[in-house]
Amino acid sequence: MKISVDETKCCGAGQCALIAPDIFDQREEDGIVTLLDPEPPQNQHPTVREAAAVCPAAAITLDDA
């Protein structure tokens, strides 16, 4: 799995960082999400999927290829 975040869509709600803090973080200055691990280990995939699903801006894209 490879994760990407569209910073232009991100509204800074931070739900992803709350759900998967080992994968997502937020910049202090504007709250925009940053990726800590764009290719998480297999055991983190369910958590990453949950984080992407709750993103109110649909800014998180998952590529399972």
Side-chain angles (χ1 to χ4, degrees):
M1 172 186 288
K2 188 170 185 177
I3 308 166
S4 60
V5 174
D6 184 342
E7 291 185 6
T8 63
K9 288 183 175 180
C10 181
C11 64
Q15 298 301 309
C16 59
L18 291 173
I19 292 170
D22 294 337
I23 308 298
F24 301 98
D25 198 7
Q26 285 185 281
R27 297 190 303 228
E28 268 190 49
E29 62 273 10
D30 58 9
I32 300 298
V33 169
T34 60
L35 284 171
L36 299 175
D37 188 353
E39 296 187 34
Q42 183 76 28
N43 67 334
Q44 290 284 338
H45 290 191
T47 303
V48 170
R49 288 185 198 290
E50 180 183 353
V54 301
C55 177
I60 301 169
T61 303
L62 307 178
D63 181 3
D64 288 317

